[in-house]
Amino acid sequence: MSANQAAMPAAGESFLSVAWRRLKSWEGLLLVMLLLILVINSTLAPGYLTINNQINLFILSIEKIMIALVMTFLIINGEIDLSAPSIMGLAACVSAFLFSRGTNFATALVIALCVGLACGIFNGFWIARVGLNSLVVTLATQISYRGLARVFVEDKSIGKFPEWFNRLGQQDLIGPFPFALLLFFFLFAVALVILQYSGFGRQVYVIGNSKDVARFSGVKVPRVKFMLYVASGLMAALAGLLLAARFGAVRGDLAAGYELDIITMVLLGGVSIFGGSGTLYGVFLSIMIILNVRNGMGLAGLSGHFQTGVIGVLLIFSVLGPNMINRARAGVSRRRMQAELRKRAT
Amino acid sequence: MNKLISRFRPEQIRLLFLLALMAIMIGFFSIQIPGYFDARFVNRISTSVAVVAVLAVGQTLVFLTRNFDLSVGSVVGLTAYIVGQQLWRHPEIPPLAAVALAIGVGAICGSINGLLIAYGRVPSIITTIATLAIYRSFLVEYSGAVPITTNLLPDWLVDLSRLSVFTVGQIQFRVLFLIMIFVVLLFQFVLSLLPFGRRLYAIGSNPDAARIAGFPAQRMVFSAFLFSGMLAGLGGFMFLGRYGNVTVLAGTGLEFASVAAVVVGGVSNMGGSGTVIGAFLGALFLDLLENSLFRWQVVSEFWRDAILGMLILAAVALDNVVFGRLKNLWARAGLQMRSEDEQKPEVAADVR
């Protein structure tokens, strides 16, 4: 919430002080970090800031950042979905399996989306209706959905999709922008409007702040949670299919281990793991940071495993940093208060 | 009926239920698979359950404080590699020193987790997902992708997994199995009888109350993670002894296996309830299931994970729904009996 309030201009303030206050918020810090990384990367590699490179860097992680959008909703709501990467794998495997058995490919895609929807409904049922801990439920379904994906493709790799499907992931649609990127920006705009500017979005925040307060003020908590999980399942299926289109082939371990990157993107964006605070603007900035950091490290010749380790460190600091700042702030204000009290006493 | 219910605690009923389920499973597979339940099978299970059960003990300690440790898989891989590498370079290292090295490496990993979680106030799920990746990437960088293989290791280590201390009939009691039994009994003793163990339960049941009562909550959480790391280190040594081959991916997925064992064994993810024996039985149950499904020709081996996940979910759901009711029933029965004993009018039975 503090990020939100800090970004809100109060009446009668000069432009400069508003700008300064925005810069002091978490989003401001992220912006400075992003600019720093961009400067470093573009000095290291000439031609880094070209539109083509930036688009390319988005395309390389487009599926993750699509899921990060829904994950933002879920984490603000105080829940988590670890099963999303498995749903990606399952949806892609189902479509590939049906296609290899001679089903019309368009039908296979629709069925795969329905499978994602069903996975989301299954998660949502246990978490929203029965009221189980989302971490444990999605940990269990993560194993299950991945296992089901393996049941469909076993240890084969299925490819040779129709030409138009492969082109979906690679070819430019309008100008230099491929279909997947345009889809992402469309989804981002929709998510931004829903979370930041609609009643449903406020409900998501309220539930994250306090489930009881939300219930007593008439928010249908289970329904909101259920809808978010269904959305997460559907989005994961969509992302899985896009990933299959980009890779051109499907294996059982498709998208395994993506949860680390996705959760890091959301938390680095200033969303509290305890729910109730954070914005999609912050998440967008942190997505940009992570993509550019990874790309920069790739240019510097560091291996994928090393990059993952760095992302892990980033994840810890994205929570540890604000914690330390808050504690220091609380300490300072306490000392001030004590000084004030002492002054009054004398 | 009420008397019968109040005789057993719900947690005990749960363990009996798990044992009964195991017996049914063994019966079912004995009919399905000829020559299923013999001494060789028992020996195989007792070896394969050892690593996961040791990890599950550490996971139990962490679970009791309302936390998670998802980094154990990477800690196992890291310690197995480091110990294997040291034994390869210096074959003269005595076995006990190798075990100490493994536990030491695990302790370092565990204390990093503990510091961040207990003193840095970073939620455990975040910390351990991150350190899962960090330890793994450290292992990849450190090893330079050179695997440790059986022929590089000293003979005593390679023979360790088949070394048995004593045999009853054809059933061998192997070293790894006995180490595991020792760990389980030790920590069951610590948790149920020593102040340290009772405080872990208190912190998990109600962190605020424990803090107000003056328990050093931060130090307790830290030591839970430290122990989990040390046990993961020991698990790493056992992993090395059992397989002999360590690649950079060694131990991947063991974090989920240990969480699964703990959850099936009835340790609550909301903290404060569960036993080490339960976690061990959970590990045994899953291992039995996995090995049996592997030998059962009717379903393909690819179904294993799908079934495993559903079982974990079923265990949690059962815990939440059935055992929640059972606990209420138990509390009511207990109240009624007490009131009858004291010759007082019945206490209002609605505990909720």
Side-chain angles (χ1 to χ4, degrees):
Chain A
M1 275 295 157
S2 63
N4 251 351
Q5 283 157 4
M8 216 83 79
E13 256 184 320
S14 78
F15 172 76
L16 263 180
S17 69
V18 172
W20 174 240
R21 225 152 38 86
R22 285 202 180 160
L23 207 61
K24 275 202 298 187
S25 71
W26 186 248
E27 283 85 351
L29 197 70
L30 290 177
L31 194 61
V32 173
M33 253 170 84
L34 177 63
L35 290 178
L36 208 68
I37 291 162
L38 285 180
V39 168
I40 293 172
N41 281 354
S42 51
T43 47
L44 284 178
Y48 183 81
L49 272 179
T50 54
I51 290 209
N52 274 337
N53 190 45
Q54 287 295 315
I55 287 176
N56 190 31
L57 157 162
F58 262 100
I59 286 301
L60 287 179
S61 308
I62 195 83
E63 300 82 14
K64 290 179 197 170
I65 61 184
M66 278 170 63
I67 293 183
L69 294 181
V70 189
M71 196 70 88
T72 306
F73 280 75
L74 280 170
I75 295 183
I76 287 177
N77 202 18
E79 306 286 347
I80 203 163
D81 186 358
L82 296 177
S83 70
S86 293
I87 299 178
M88 288 171 76
L90 180 58
C93 287
V94 165
S95 66
F97 172 77
L98 290 175
F99 178 60
S100 70
R101 290 294 167 94
T103 316
N104 177 2
F105 195 61
T107 322
L109 291 185
V110 173
I111 292 176
L113 287 178
C114 291
V115 167
L117 199 66
C119 290
I121 289 174
F122 189 75
N123 282 342
F125 170 77
W126 290 108
I127 295 160
R129 299 285 158 192
V130 184
L132 301 181
N133 182 315
S134 61
L135 194 59
V136 178
V137 170
T138 55
L139 199 64
T141 52
Q142 179 194 38
I143 300 172
S144 263
Y145 296 157
R146 179 66 61 195
L148 275 181
R150 291 242 164 79
V151 170
F152 280 109
V153 300
E154 304 193 332
D155 38 19
K156 297 187 298 261
S157 166
I158 300 178
K160 297 205 186 79
F161 298 125
E163 185 64 18
W164 62 267
F165 183 62
N166 285 342
R167 242 186 282 151
L168 217 56
Q170 286 146 9
Q171 208 193 34
D172 305 341
L173 195 68
I174 304 172
F177 300 103
F179 168 74
L181 191 61
L182 292 173
L183 181 64
F184 168 72
F185 279 116
F186 171 70
L187 289 171
F188 179 74
V190 170
L192 195 66
V193 170
I194 292 178
L195 183 62
Q196 247 61 80
Y197 305 102
S198 82
F200 183 82
R202 298 322 297 170
Q203 292 187 349
V204 171
Y205 277 102
V206 171
I207 294 173
N209 268 322
S210 167
K211 237 183 262 185
D212 295 328
V213 168
R215 209 178 54 237
F216 288 136
S217 38
V219 176
K220 291 187 176 111
V221 178
R223 212 179 69 182
V224 172
K225 282 192 193 302
F226 189 76
M227 280 166 72
L228 289 183
Y229 275 98
V230 172
S232 177
L234 195 60
M235 184 72 98
L238 187 63
L241 294 177
L242 281 179
L243 190 61
R246 187 156 67 84
F247 284 176
V250 167
R251 284 194 331 185
D253 62 352
L254 186 94
Y258 276 19
E259 60 271 14
L260 177 75
D261 270 27
I262 295 168
I263 293 171
T264 310
M265 282 170 186
V266 176
L267 294 181
L268 187 65
V271 176
S272 161
I273 186 73
F274 304 112
S277 76
T279 61
L280 262 178
Y281 299 109
V283 172
F284 184 74
L285 285 173
S286 92
I287 287 173
M288 291 287 288
I289 287 177
I290 288 180
L291 295 184
N292 281 295
V293 165
R294 264 196 189 265
N295 196 283
M297 285 192 293
L299 289 176
L302 298 168
S303 74
H305 270 287
F306 188 83
Q307 293 176 21
T308 311
V310 172
I311 300 291
V313 173
L314 262 183
L315 175 58
I316 287 181
F317 277 100
S318 68
V319 185
L320 193 62
N323 267 2
M324 303 269 245
I325 292 171
N326 281 345
R327 221 184 296 174
R329 239 184 231 163
V332 168
S333 66
R334 202 185 315 128
R335 234 166 288 147
R336 251 186 223 157
M337 195 119 86
Q338 280 166 352
E340 189 84 356
L341 284 176
R342 233 174 287 138
K343 217 186 281 170
R344 272 187 211 164
T346 52
Chain B
M1 180 62 192
N2 276 349
K3 272 190 182 167
L4 198 71
I5 287 175
S6 57
R7 186 70 39 85
F8 294 101
R9 292 184 58 84
E11 292 82 15
Q12 290 170 330
I13 295 179
R14 206 197 147 104
L15 289 190
L16 289 178
F17 182 70
L18 196 57
L19 280 175
L21 212 59
M22 258 189 265
I24 293 171
M25 200 165 74
I26 290 173
F28 173 76
F29 283 114
S30 307
I31 298 169
Q32 290 284 324
I33 307 166
Y36 162 75
F37 198 74
D38 55 4
R40 267 188 56 211
F41 187 70
V42 173
N43 289 338
R44 186 184 306 149
I45 293 289
S46 75
T47 315
S48 67
V49 78
V51 175
V52 178
V54 166
L55 298 181
V57 172
Q59 196 71 259
T60 307
L61 299 178
V62 172
F63 257 57
L64 285 181
T65 63
R66 284 197 190 180
N67 283 305
F68 288 85
D69 189 351
L70 294 181
S71 70
V72 287
S74 293
V75 178
V76 166
L78 187 60
T79 45
Y81 190 88
I82 289 179
V83 173
Q85 191 194 36
Q86 290 307 314
L87 285 170
W88 165 33
R89 301 253 169 87
H90 315 281
E92 72 280 0
I93 293 177
L96 277 182
V99 175
L101 175 67
I103 293 178
V105 173
I108 293 171
C109 296
S111 57
I112 292 173
N113 287 338
L115 277 178
L116 287 168
I117 293 159
Y119 298 103
R121 307 247 168 123
V122 183
S124 61
I125 173 86
I126 300 297
T127 307
T128 54
I129 281 188
T131 51
L132 175 76
I134 293 170
Y135 298 155
R136 181 67 63 189
S137 68
F138 178 76
L139 171 59
V140 173
E141 292 301 314
Y142 175 76
S143 69
V146 181
I148 302 274
T149 51
T150 319
N151 53 5
L152 299 174
L153 295 172
D155 290 338
W156 63 266
L157 189 64
V158 177
D159 295 332
L160 189 70
S161 63
R162 267 162 289 140
L163 186 69
S164 57
V165 177
F166 58 90
T167 52
V168 178
Q170 282 186 322
I171 296 172
Q172 299 170 335
F173 287 82
R174 295 175 174 171
V175 176
L176 292 182
F177 180 69
L178 290 177
I179 292 176
M180 185 266 292
I181 292 290
F182 171 72
V183 167
V184 168
L185 292 181
L186 176 71
F187 278 92
Q188 179 65 46
F189 170 74
V190 168
L191 282 189
S192 50
L193 294 174
L194 294 191
F196 172 76
R198 302 320 298 171
R199 282 181 187 163
L200 277 185
Y201 280 99
I203 285 171
S205 309
N206 191 336
D208 295 330
R211 209 173 34 245
I212 292 165
F215 290 168
Q218 285 184 324
R219 214 167 66 208
M220 304 289 299
V221 172
F222 173 79
S223 39
F225 276 94
L226 178 64
F227 277 122
S228 177
M230 286 164 75
L231 287 170
L234 181 64
F237 174 78
M238 291 162 77
F239 186 93
L240 182 68
R242 183 174 169 223
Y243 295 104
N245 290 312
V246 181
T247 64
V248 290
L249 291 178
T252 314
L254 277 176
E255 60 278 356
F256 292 138
S258 70
V259 168
V262 165
V263 169
V264 171
V267 183
S268 165
N269 64 300
M270 291 310 290
S273 107
T275 59
V276 169
I277 299 282
F280 162 68
L281 287 181
L284 188 63
F285 177 81
L286 293 177
D287 203 64
L288 207 58
L289 184 76
E290 196 172 327
N291 272 297
S292 307
L293 285 179
F294 187 70
R295 285 177 65 182
W296 198 32
Q297 299 299 327
V298 179
V299 295
S300 88
E301 56 171 317
F302 298 103
W303 276 99
R304 237 170 30 204
D305 279 351
I307 295 176
L308 194 68
M310 282 303 117
L311 268 172
I312 297 169
L313 188 57
V316 180
L318 203 69
D319 192 41
N320 198 292
V321 180
V322 178
F323 288 94
R325 292 240 173 103
L326 213 60
K327 271 177 201 159
N328 273 338
L329 211 62
W330 184 70
R332 264 188 236 180
L335 276 184
Q336 274 179 7
M337 277 182 48
R338 213 173 304 148
S339 63
E340 279 162 19
D341 288 349
E342 293 165 11
Q343 294 294 318
K344 279 180 188 167
E346 277 208 2
V347 177
D350 194 17
V351 185
R352 271 183 271 180

